[in-house]
Amino acid sequence: MNTEPTMQLPGQWSTFGVGYDWLFYFIYWLSVVLFVAVVGAALYFVVKYRRRPGVKSEPTGHYLLLEIGWTVSPLILLVMLFHWGFAGYVSLTAPPPDALDIRVRARKWSWDFEYPNGGHSQDELHVPVGRPVRLILSSEDVIHAMYIPGFRVKRDAVPGSYSTLWFEATHVGRTRYFCAEYCGAAEQPVHEADGTDRYTGHFSMNGWVNIHPVDGPAAESVSGENTWRSGWASYLENVLRAPIDPATGHEVTPAQWGELLYARNQCNTCHSVNGSAMTGPTWQHMFGQNVDLADGTHVLVDENYVRESILQPAVKVVRGFNPVMPSYQGSLTDRQLDALIAYIRTLR
Amino acid sequence: MATEVAVAPGHHEDEPDHMANYLIAARGVKSWLVTLDHKRIGVMYLASVILAFFMGGMFALLVRLELLTPGRTIMGAATYNRVFTLHGAVMVFLFIIPSIPAAMGNFILPLMLGAKDVAFPRLNLLSFYIYVVGALFSLFSIISGAVDTGWTFYTPYSTTSSSSVVSMTLGVFILGFSSILTGLNFLVTIHKMRAPGLHWRRLPLFVWGMYATSVMQVLATPVLAITLALLAMEKVLGLGIFDASLGGDPVLFQHFFWFYSHPAVYIMIVPGMAIVSELFATFSRRAIVGYFAVAMSSLGLALLGFLVWGHHMFTSGQSEFSTMLFSALTMLVAIPSGVKVFNWTLTLYKGSIWLTTPMLYALSFLVLFTIGGLTGLFLGTLSTDIHLHDTYFVVAHFHYVMMGGTVMGFLGGLLYWWPKITGKMYDESLAKVSWFFVFVGFNAVFIVQFIMGSRGMPRRYYDYVPEFRPYHQFSTVGSWILAVGFFILAYVLVKSLRSGAKAPPNPWGSAGFEWNTATPPIMQNFAVTPTITRGPYDYHEATEEELWDGFPEDFKKSEP
Ligand SMILES: [Cu+2]
Ligand SMILES: [Cu+2]
């Protein structure tokens, strides 16, 4: 595995690299062979059968077998390609359960990354090497997309719902990420002090993914382009620090904040966290399970379902309960929803 | 004002002469504007789409010029976004969709069918004027601030953008009706107006292509109309259909949009294939191998075209199950496309190949479309698409299909039928020079875009990171070569109109039915309704005069 780019592909920085590049080059060489065969034959015929005085074309015959042959045989190749592509895609959509969750919020035209301890970074993503990482994407305005070419992954960040993407970095260092879904630009550039104009927009929503070693120098001893050299634990603790709750003076993680919201918004009048059913279902062991709905179907409790249950409780009603839960549309912010979900996740 | 036009004795000035050349059968601007003659309507469409192509091309040159250097070259970011949107919207909605069906289809289809006109001549004129009105609305958006959404109008960007999205979508909405009416007209014409003896098995492949295209136009375009209407309603009335903050679903728009726009890809490419089939037959003097398979593959593409829209949305968060289904169905598209390419290639075998400029364009189609199709494999395969989606790889892929395919077919058809339409020949050697520049320039622009795309350059970027600079510069220089090619071509055509030699009735020695009538055709197409006794590619049954008319003497004499 190599972090240097090849002729056609960027360097390989994640566990997806090898398999991806193999499939890519397989299709590439397949295409080269087919192209040379078709175009070569065509050019050969054009030269060989060019119009000459006294030579007539031969009437077209029937080539039934050939006809059937080139209709059916590509099918075999296509099924193969589909199968490999689908297998690769499935591994892209199934993060291991122990993945480190990072919340990614996109807005015009910057990215905010929130780490499990509640700390944030803007426009620079920090991840540990050799550990699966799951990005939970959302957007505050229009559709954006997180694209990390070195990892061979991409996923849209859609307003109003969550989407996820995962990877496991294989090398320490840094590689670029981009916004891949067109999201406009500022009407006017910013005039810098040195007289230049700085434009912002879709094209400027990019930055570096810093891949930290698990152990390494303390965060204070490295800076700038070398930030990625510092050890992951030290960086998380000292730079991506958890925010301080002004009320208590303690650091709070999103899950702890969610617990506070659970009490403050009176969710606890209807939902328990100890397994006993009240007016509403308990939150214990709820996340990640299938629940039966009143209409006879069932649904997996994931981020999107919980979000929908809070904002539009009447859409999917849990079997055995009355649809009495009020909607929190407009009264909880996106951040508060994220925190509640983080809390509910810890109860599984 | 007294008219200066000489009028034949006993012939009233306002009454067109149905047996005269259609270009002079009636005179004056008004006789064109209110004409019901499919040929004149076709010519008016042709002039309009060429104008649109010129505009779209200028926008493309501006886009490429801006990308010559990183950062600002000639315009700001907001302007750049408008320019590439206009390039896409003008090329797709004003040029490529009407190009072959409305312009050439209108002119050639009734001639191939041995008919006097299309089934509904008035509807035909109406659809031309709807096109004009739609075009004016779209162009109005340019002076009222222009659109910066990309030609795809994705929500919620488009519903929140301050640019003039409403007039643009309204324009596209109106253009859609023109497309629907043309499709409807052609379907009825093909079913009802075929000359005696022209049964389905003898239908020229161009007509088969038009038939498949018309089906798609009639069935898919209404969905676009509804989608754009909903978009405008959301923007103007604040209805929450696509906007998540109003309780809508932004991805729903993409489903609706691509439900039209994927079939639209085939509305664009199938007519190109249709022309190329004619060119291969004529210039190889041989029936297309697997006539029936080629005809059916057009219908196959039309059908599959409706089932694969989700392949534009593999990263959008649609369910894994639909993603799998769309990938599998997309793979199937390779089969009818492959059938065409293989059959065309085999048609050359043991043919008698004449490398005129139209044939060079047909061969370019074969080469470029093959590249476009093969690179489609990377995009239909799920895991490879994830990395390539929304990068320059996709930009290069669809330009190889749309420009390397449809535009090459259009240019081939334009030169092939130029004598039929204008009655004049063009300068063949200069046309070959222009073809050379177009072919080389096109490849220079887009081949590097594959590489920068697979190396991670996202599309619709005003600025880029330093490592992509050499690719962008190569591509921009290519765009200048391409432009030179088109300017030479424009010169060739203008020169032909002004001083071209008079065209013989069948300059290419084709057995196709459209050459059965005068060149240029008389106003009512055929003096008497022709009776068809052979297929359009039965070269061994065509008479010698048919095939050798207008050929250099030594070719004729040396015939055994
Ligand atoms: Cu963005
Ligand atoms: Cu498509």
Side-chain angles (χ1 to χ4, degrees):
Chain A
M1 231 196 273
N2 201 334
T3 56
E4 283 303 307
T6 58
M7 173 66 188
Q8 295 183 56
L9 290 169
Q12 299 173 342
W13 290 89
S14 81
T15 50
F16 297 130
V18 175
Y20 181 94
D21 293 15
W22 183 87
L23 184 55
F24 182 95
Y25 281 110
F26 175 81
I27 305 177
Y28 174 72
W29 285 112
L30 179 76
S31 305
V32 169
V33 170
L34 286 171
F35 178 78
V36 169
V38 169
V39 173
L43 292 183
Y44 174 74
F45 294 154
V46 167
V47 175
K48 175 120 197 265
Y49 301 107
R50 66 186 177 279
R51 192 162 295 180
R52 290 204 196 85
V55 184
K56 277 193 165 182
S57 66
E58 228 171 69
T60 302
H62 291 280
Y63 306 88
L64 190 62
L65 278 182
L66 207 60
E67 210 66 57
I68 294 175
W70 63 42
T71 310
V72 176
S73 58
L75 209 56
I76 302 167
L77 272 173
L78 293 172
V79 168
M80 250 160 62
L81 285 187
F82 166 75
H83 172 76
W84 285 330
F86 184 60
Y89 178 76
V90 167
S91 64
L92 281 175
T93 54
D98 61 335
L100 178 83
D101 280 339
I102 298 178
R103 265 191 192 285
V104 182
R105 295 188 186 87
R107 76 180 83 84
K108 289 178 187 169
W109 292 279
S110 66
W111 297 89
D112 174 79
F113 302 101
E114 185 185 277
Y115 299 87
N117 66 351
H120 287 258
S121 66
Q122 306 290 323
D123 295 326
E124 294 258 306
L125 173 60
H126 297 271
V127 299
V129 74
R131 203 178 144 190
V133 172
R134 188 171 77 128
L135 304 184
I136 303 168
L137 308 165
S138 59
S139 164
E140 291 173 10
D141 40 43
V142 300
I143 303 179
H144 302 271
M146 171 50 75
Y147 174 34
I148 312 172
F151 293 166
R152 315 282 189 269
V153 293
K154 180 182 291 124
R155 189 77 181 188
D156 290 5
V158 182
S161 66
Y162 301 104
S163 49
T164 58
L165 166 163
W166 84 276
F167 53 80
E168 182 181 328
T170 48
H171 291 72
V172 295
R174 53 180 206 159
T175 182
R176 285 187 196 276
Y177 75 83
F178 299 91
C179 174
E181 185 63 64
Y182 172 69
C183 54
E187 288 291 329
Q188 295 300 330
V190 180
H191 301 289
E192 300 281 8
D194 63 357
T196 56
D197 283 348
R198 189 167 48 83
Y199 290 92
T200 42
H202 173 49
F203 51 89
S204 64
M205 270 182 85
N206 56 48
W208 294 100
V209 183
N210 294 274
I211 307 166
H212 294 261
V214 178
D215 314 300
E220 298 79 45
S221 62
V222 285
S223 63
E225 286 189 8
N226 285 318
T227 318
W228 58 267
R229 290 184 194 279
S230 82
W232 169 247
S234 156
Y235 198 82
L236 196 65
E237 233 168 76
N238 298 311
V239 184
L240 307 173
R241 268 197 315 244
I244 310 290
D245 180 8
T248 59
H250 292 306
E251 292 185 348
V252 284
T253 65
Q256 286 164 340
W257 188 25
E259 192 172 359
L260 290 174
L261 292 169
Y262 165 67
R264 249 186 251 158
N265 289 284
Q266 273 104 41
C267 310
N268 56 3
T269 56
C270 301
H271 295 285
S272 79
V273 293
N274 61 7
S276 58
M278 296 160 67
T279 315
T282 179
W283 287 357
Q284 195 186 32
H285 304 312
M286 174 178 83
F287 199 90
Q289 306 295 315
N290 281 312
V291 293
D292 295 323
L293 299 182
D295 63 7
T297 59
H298 58 84
V299 61
L300 176 74
V301 181
D302 61 3
E303 277 90 358
N304 276 320
Y305 170 73
V306 174
R307 184 188 168 99
E308 187 188 12
S309 296
I310 301 172
L311 297 179
Q312 292 153 301
V315 175
K316 289 180 186 138
V317 177
V318 180
R319 177 169 325 157
F321 293 91
N322 293 319
V324 293
M325 174 166 156
S327 162
Y328 289 85
Q329 182 98 47
S331 61
L332 288 171
T333 66
D334 269 2
R335 293 278 163 115
Q336 289 172 325
L337 286 171
D338 291 351
L340 275 167
I341 294 170
Y343 173 55
I344 292 175
R345 279 176 64 88
T346 62
L347 301 170
R348 59 167 154 179
Chain B
M1 214 183 103
T3 172
E4 276 152 24
V5 178
V7 178
H11 179 73
H12 192 272
E13 168 197 344
D14 286 345
E15 284 281 298
D17 177 0
H18 290 271
M19 301 305 277
N21 166 357
Y22 83 101
L23 289 167
I24 55 166
R27 286 175 191 269
V29 176
K30 190 178 155 230
S31 77
W32 280 84
L33 293 182
V34 299
T35 183
L36 298 180
D37 182 355
H38 68 98
K39 300 184 288 301
R40 287 190 164 199
I41 295 174
V43 170
M44 292 196 290
Y45 262 121
L46 190 60
S48 320
V49 298
I50 289 178
L51 197 69
F53 184 65
F54 177 77
M55 267 176 45
M58 285 297 151
F59 288 127
L61 286 174
L62 288 175
V63 166
R64 279 313 328 160
L65 187 58
E66 173 50 45
L67 293 172
L68 185 63
T69 61
R72 185 189 170 108
T73 310
I74 52 164
M75 58 180 109
T79 314
Y80 173 83
N81 289 345
R82 287 169 167 77
V83 172
F84 84 68
T85 300
L86 288 170
H87 163 67
V90 167
M91 282 300 196
V92 169
F93 297 113
L94 293 185
F95 168 65
I96 204 164
I97 290 181
S99 66
I100 297 177
M104 286 175 196
N106 245 319
F107 197 101
I108 299 297
L109 187 85
L111 297 180
M112 282 188 165
L113 295 178
K116 235 171 129 175
D117 206 314
V118 291
F120 308 114
R122 274 167 216 283
L123 203 61
N124 202 14
L125 185 65
L126 178 66
S127 65
F128 174 72
Y129 281 111
I130 294 178
Y131 168 82
V132 172
V133 172
L136 289 180
F137 263 99
S138 326
L139 298 183
F140 173 74
S141 78
I142 300 182
I143 39 176
S144 63
V147 195
D148 69 345
T149 59
W151 77 278
T152 46
F153 309 116
Y154 270 19
T155 55
Y157 186 80
S158 54
T159 44
T160 52
S161 163
S162 59
S163 63
S164 55
V165 176
V166 172
S167 72
M168 181 55 118
T169 47
L170 204 62
V172 173
F173 177 84
I174 296 171
L175 287 170
F177 284 96
S178 159
S179 188
I180 296 171
L181 293 183
T182 304
L184 203 66
N185 215 339
F186 284 5
L187 284 179
V188 178
T189 308
I190 296 170
H191 273 279
K192 288 289 171 201
M193 312 268 292
R194 301 193 310 276
L198 183 53
H199 47 73
W200 290 92
R201 283 265 183 168
R202 281 182 179 161
L203 216 52
L205 287 166
F206 180 73
V207 177
W208 273 115
M210 286 299 117
Y211 188 83
T213 309
S214 302
V215 171
M216 291 186 282
Q217 283 179 322
V218 170
L219 295 182
T221 318
V223 180
L224 177 73
I226 306 257
T227 313
L228 295 179
L230 291 175
L231 181 78
M233 283 200 273
E234 175 163 313
K235 204 165 158 69
V236 177
L237 307 175
L239 295 185
I241 299 157
F242 306 122
D243 188 343
S245 63
L246 299 172
D249 179 0
V251 180
L252 181 67
F253 178 84
Q254 298 180 23
H255 280 289
F256 283 172
F257 182 82
W258 289 113
F259 186 85
Y260 165 73
S261 291
H262 189 84
V265 169
Y266 295 104
I267 292 177
M268 301 182 226
I269 189 70
V270 170
M273 296 167 156
I275 289 188
V276 167
S277 299
E278 296 295 325
L279 297 179
F280 269 101
T282 296
F283 295 107
S284 313
R285 280 273 159 93
R286 202 159 177 261
I288 293 286
V289 172
Y291 162 88
F292 188 66
V294 174
M296 287 306 118
S297 62
S298 291
L299 293 180
L301 283 175
L303 178 71
L304 279 175
F306 280 101
L307 306 175
V308 298
W309 77 90
H311 65 204
H312 297 268
M313 301 162 59
F314 286 161
T315 68
S316 74
Q318 65 184 355
S319 79
E320 265 85 61
F321 179 73
S322 11
T323 303
M324 178 190 84
L325 213 63
F326 283 125
S327 166
L329 288 168
T330 299
M331 289 288 176
L332 293 183
V333 172
I335 292 186
S337 314
V339 163
K340 288 207 193 260
V341 167
F342 297 141
N343 279 307
W344 288 329
T345 309
L346 201 65
T347 302
L348 299 170
Y349 174 71
K350 297 202 170 162
S352 165
I353 295 156
W354 186 16
L355 277 187
T356 59
T357 319
M359 185 58 171
L360 287 175
Y361 278 114
L363 290 166
S364 311
F365 182 112
L366 183 79
V367 173
L368 303 179
F369 178 74
T370 302
I371 297 180
L374 288 170
T375 49
L377 290 179
F378 293 84
L379 301 173
T381 305
L382 271 176
S383 64
T384 40
D385 178 69
I386 300 297
H387 171 62
L388 299 171
H389 176 73
D390 268 339
T391 66
Y392 265 78
F393 191 93
V394 176
V395 176
H397 160 73
F398 71 71
H399 278 91
Y400 264 87
V401 178
M402 302 284 78
M403 188 165 182
T406 312
V407 174
M408 295 298 143
F410 175 78
L411 295 175
L414 183 64
L415 292 174
Y416 175 58
W417 286 314
W418 185 261
K420 183 100 252 171
I421 296 172
T422 64
K424 305 256 174 87
M425 295 307 288
Y426 59 86
D427 180 339
E428 182 67 39
S429 31
L430 206 53
K432 281 198 174 111
V433 173
S434 84
W435 165 82
F436 179 79
F437 278 95
V438 168
F439 187 77
V440 171
F442 172 81
N443 282 294
V445 177
F446 293 108
I447 214 90
V448 281
Q449 295 192 1
F450 281 122
I451 301 174
M452 67 173 139
S454 60
R455 287 188 67 161
M457 171 78 211
R459 65 191 285 205
R460 296 175 168 177
Y461 262 39
Y462 168 71
D463 198 359
Y464 44 86
V465 295
E467 61 242 45
F468 295 119
R469 187 177 180 145
Y471 304 111
H472 275 296
Q473 289 182 338
F474 194 95
S475 183
T476 299
V477 172
S479 73
W480 299 335
I481 303 176
L482 188 57
V484 169
F486 279 118
F487 280 112
I488 303 177
L489 180 64
Y491 173 75
V492 168
L493 297 183
V494 171
K495 193 175 123 190
S496 158
L497 282 182
R498 298 174 68 106
S499 60
K502 189 179 165 356
N506 188 357
W508 315 115
S510 168
F513 302 144
E514 74 272 30
W515 303 100
N516 281 350
T517 174
T519 297
I522 56 171
M523 186 168 169
Q524 64 169 34
N525 291 353
F526 300 90
V528 280
T529 303
T531 305
I532 307 294
T533 53
R534 58 167 172 81
Y537 312 115
D538 290 338
Y539 280 88
H540 51 286
E541 289 177 26
T543 62
E544 292 290 306
E545 305 98 80
E546 264 177 323
L547 295 190
W548 295 113
D549 181 38
F551 268 71
E553 279 304 312
D554 48 333
F555 267 100
K556 272 197 247 181
K557 283 201 211 92
S558 56
E559 190 68 4

